Amino acid sequence: MRPENRRAPFVRTFLKPSRTAAVRLVLLLLAAISGGCVASPTASTTNSPPPPGPFTSAEFVTGSAPNFVAVGDFNGDGKLDLAVAGGSANTISILLGNGDGTFGTRVDFGTGSAPDSVAVGDFNGDGNLDLAVTNGSGDTVSILLGNGNGTFRTHVDYPVGHHPVSVVVGDFNRDGRLDLAVANNSDNTVSILLGLGNGTFTSFGTLPTGNGASSIAAGDFNGDGIFDLVVANSGANSLSVLLGVGNGSFLPRIDYVAGTQPSALAVSDFIGNGKADFAVGSAFDSTVNVLLGNGNGTFGGPAPYGTGLGPGSVAVADLNSDGKPDLATANLKDNTASILLGNGNGTFQAPIDTLAGVTPNWVAAGDFNGDGRPDLAVTNLNTNTVTILLNTGNFGP
């Protein structure tokens, strides 16, 4: 915690009337000689406290080795909650939000082996949020159906490719039911699981990606109303874009250069032109590369922006409430989160770094205290905590 800023004590000096008059006379003479102004001897000056930083922080205990956090309202009270994957505990920790930026004691639910990432959606159409969790050592995805009160049913596992590390939700065959796309790191594929609408899934095959698929995201990249996919390939220094056909299948990938060892990505419209753009975190060279979309499924070259050391993830939110998307990264190697304010034209300002716990490795955005400003949740790998960074809105002029 930052030390409390205290005002200097207010001290008033009282002078005898005769001496006061003499002092004033001297001051008037000095002012006349110097041509300047001299403050009254009874005036008191104090140092104003510095303005607050962009965030205040608090930490909450999670399961062991937290490496991913997702946000959703899991108990239907209108307050955002957290789902944190605990990589070495084989659990998901649920922390229910109190609506004031604090969270209750975690409750853990079992998953498969070595959970890596979490996606949120209503997979059985009951109005309650469910979870899909990739299990890196089990080569499966665990589905945990929500009960609507913050608890979840026993996980059901579905086989995918080797070493699944990232999962995204979308309706890939346009049947009104949520499906899953899973990035498999060791065999360089994406597994497609089509949802049946009752919380169960069926395999729809795999798609080849570049080497070392490490993160996956979905969006409409060519404006045809059909979900497309983008995969960050850490072993190939590239992104693979797979345009959706609308029946669950995808066109052959198109690869784009994306910095060194890209490890995380986010999709947003950074220009406000209705076209999807990419932000790609590269932990190796401590940058975020931004690729602007052309609206037809193709993308421009990467523009790198510096961050703190080792950005392991990137999130998008309008953090300074100017109507322009900003970026936040969790920086594993220097225990910070970097904020890159967007200019609204696809470019970003120099990073603003804030402390974010020890070995922060994932960041997600949400309004945790209901003040209308997006806050950040950051998992801390080595301390088994999640840091909540409440947004003060003070990002300077």
Side-chain angles (χ1 to χ4, degrees):
M1 295 182 62
R2 295 183 176 181
E4 182 182 1
N5 292 313
R6 300 184 182 271
R7 292 181 179 270
F10 183 90
V11 178
R12 184 182 297 274
T13 303
F14 294 93
L15 301 177
K16 294 181 180 180
S18 59
R19 183 167 182 176
T20 301
V23 171
R24 286 177 177 168
L25 179 59
V26 171
L27 292 173
L28 289 172
L29 290 173
L30 289 173
I33 294 170
S34 64
C37 296
V38 179
S40 165
T42 58
S44 174
T45 59
T46 59
N47 292 324
S48 298
F55 297 96
T56 62
S57 67
E59 289 190 353
F60 299 88
V61 176
T62 68
S64 178
N67 54 16
F68 195 100
V69 57
V71 177
D73 180 7
F74 302 130
N75 60 349
D77 64 354
K79 305 167 184 175
L80 290 182
D81 312 309
L82 304 178
V84 181
S88 65
N90 300 333
T91 61
I92 288 289
S93 296
I94 302 299
L95 290 81
L96 297 180
N98 297 317
D100 59 358
T102 66
F103 292 81
T105 302
R106 81 178 200 269
V107 178
D108 294 340
F109 298 88
T111 66
S113 179
D116 279 325
S117 70
V118 187
V120 177
D122 181 3
F123 303 141
N124 59 354
D126 63 355
N128 302 325
L129 290 181
D130 311 309
L131 302 176
V133 183
T134 58
N135 303 306
S137 295
D139 296 344
T140 61
V141 169
S142 292
I143 302 299
L144 292 84
L145 297 179
N147 296 316
N149 60 358
T151 66
F152 292 82
R153 304 177 203 174
T154 301
H155 65 97
V156 177
D157 296 345
Y158 293 86
V160 291
H162 187 40
H163 192 194
V165 293
S166 183
V167 57
V168 68
V169 173
D171 182 5
F172 303 131
N173 60 352
R174 296 190 293 177
D175 64 354
R177 303 164 182 170
L178 292 182
D179 312 309
L180 304 176
V182 180
N184 305 302
N185 181 262
S186 294
D187 58 10
N188 309 320
T189 62
V190 169
S191 298
I192 303 297
L193 286 79
L194 297 181
L196 303 180
N198 59 359
T200 65
F201 293 82
T202 185
S203 175
F204 197 68
T206 60
L207 309 167
T209 69
N211 184 39
S214 57
S215 183
I216 190 169
D220 181 6
F221 306 149
N222 58 355
D224 62 357
I226 299 171
F227 272 107
D228 309 309
L229 298 174
V230 57
V231 181
N233 306 307
S234 60
N237 301 333
S238 69
L239 296 181
S240 294
V241 173
L242 300 97
L243 298 179
V245 176
N247 61 358
S249 62
F250 293 80
L251 297 178
R253 78 181 196 264
I254 301 173
D255 291 348
Y256 296 86
V257 174
T260 305
Q261 296 182 13
S263 54
L265 59 85
V267 176
S268 186
D269 178 4
F270 298 130
I271 300 179
N273 60 1
K275 302 172 183 178
D277 309 309
F278 301 148
V280 189
S282 297
F284 181 83
D285 56 9
S286 298
T287 61
V288 167
N289 282 275
V290 174
L291 289 78
L292 299 180
N294 298 315
N296 59 358
T298 66
F299 293 82
Y305 295 88
T307 67
L309 296 179
S313 71
V314 57
V316 179
D318 181 9
L319 294 169
N320 62 345
S321 303
D322 64 353
K324 304 167 187 176
D326 309 310
L327 302 177
T329 66
N331 306 315
L332 184 70
K333 296 180 181 179
D334 65 5
N335 300 330
T336 65
S338 292
I339 308 302
L340 290 80
L341 298 178
N343 295 316
N345 60 359
T347 66
F348 292 84
Q349 299 175 28
I352 301 170
D353 292 340
T354 186
L355 291 177
V358 179
T359 56
N361 60 343
W362 202 266
V363 59
D367 182 4
F368 302 133
N369 59 355
D371 64 356
R373 292 190 291 257
D375 310 304
L376 301 177
V378 184
T379 54
N380 300 308
L381 182 65
N382 290 346
T383 57
N384 304 330
T385 59
V386 59
T387 296
I388 301 300
L389 297 171
L390 294 181
N391 187 349
T392 68
N394 185 23
F395 288 91

